[in-house]
Amino acid sequence: MSEGAFPPPFWAEDPDGAAGEYVLGTLTPSERAAFARALEQDPALRAAVTAWERRLAPLAATAPAVAPGPQVWEAIEARIATPPLAEAADLRVRRLERGLRRWRFAAGGAAALAAGLALWIVAAPPPATVGTPQYLAVVDRGGSLPALIVRVDLASGVVQVRSLTAETPPDRSLELWYINEGAAPRSLGLVTEATETIPVPADLRDGVARATFAVTVEPKGGAPGGKATGPVVYSGRLIRD
């Protein structure tokens, strides 16, 4: 490197990975400030950040808003008041540290999704009647990211359906069905981006412990005649919560 020349920015080697760290908030304060300045001038970096925000949005959707306790703010104030440590001068060390952060992020992605689902499950309203069970189904495509979370609350008499990553083909509709053992599929309605709350059908209440949920691709507006016609794209079995 010639005298007076500046080293390339830290994101030059892996701009997509740096954008992921920016969205997750794992950059150091100085790195974050430099990256934010670069975003104002670099459309490619802005596009990478937007892609990461969309990619991670399902994780945020699984967790309800929780007000932080006073101890959180005290910890933040103490952290801000602490003088920052001197940054390492050796660029190779900084790159190794950044690579380690990315490895930890990749290894923790599935754990973060599971934690988000657990937060929604735990923070959901408790049963209205003590002793009345609730049931939960994670509806997905063979172990991929959950498409829907279905909760059956027999105490309040409602089925709650939350869409996470369900993808509707153009000019088609996704329809949610429940299937009791030995019975024909029964529709619970179309899958939308909003969280749906519907009454528990009587026959689902009777066979809830053995019910399976499935999502099919149907003509726009739903299956004609109330009978499933399209392929099953997501499925999941109810378990006692």
Side-chain angles (χ1 to χ4, degrees):
M1 183 182 300
S2 61
E3 185 177 353
F6 293 97
F10 70 86
W11 59 84
E13 295 179 357
D14 184 8
D16 186 67
E21 291 188 60
Y22 178 80
V23 173
L24 287 169
T26 59
L27 297 176
T28 66
S30 60
E31 289 173 342
R32 186 172 183 84
F35 194 84
R37 289 192 296 270
L39 286 177
E40 299 176 358
Q41 307 296 330
D42 193 331
L45 284 183
R46 291 198 298 272
V49 167
T50 300
W52 272 105
E53 289 173 341
R54 290 175 179 170
R55 197 176 306 165
L56 297 175
L59 299 182
T62 62
V66 178
Q71 71 277 9
V72 176
W73 296 118
E74 293 171 1
I76 293 174
E77 290 174 351
R79 184 80 174 267
I80 293 174
T82 302
L85 297 175
E87 295 185 4
D90 191 341
L91 288 177
R92 289 177 298 176
V93 173
R94 295 182 63 184
R95 287 168 181 168
L96 286 173
E97 291 174 345
R98 186 170 300 112
L100 178 60
R101 288 204 304 269
R102 289 174 189 159
W103 177 84
R104 286 173 176 167
F105 161 66
L113 176 59
L117 291 174
L119 277 174
W120 184 72
I121 293 168
V122 171
T129 304
V130 176
T132 303
Q134 287 187 318
Y135 294 85
L136 187 76
V138 177
V139 183
D140 60 17
R141 183 189 286 126
S144 60
L145 288 177
L148 302 173
I149 301 294
V150 180
R151 181 189 291 276
V152 178
D153 186 346
L154 296 181
S156 60
V158 298
V159 178
Q160 189 177 41
V161 181
R162 172 171 291 195
S163 177
L164 298 178
T165 61
E167 299 178 354
T168 305
D171 300 322
R172 309 286 282 180
S173 291
L174 295 182
E175 192 158 353
L176 177 64
W177 308 80
Y178 68 93
I179 309 165
N180 284 331
E181 289 183 354
R186 296 286 300 276
S187 176
L188 282 175
L190 301 183
V191 175
T192 67
E193 294 182 358
T195 298
E196 301 287 346
T197 301
I198 59 179
V200 177
D203 54 344
L204 175 58
R205 180 184 293 272
D206 295 337
V208 65
R210 301 177 301 279
T212 298
F213 286 91
V215 176
T216 61
V217 178
E218 300 295 342
K220 194 72 173 177
K227 295 183 179 180
T229 62
V232 174
V233 290
Y234 308 111
S235 63
R237 188 174 182 85
L238 274 176
I239 59 173
R240 185 162 179 170
D241 187 6

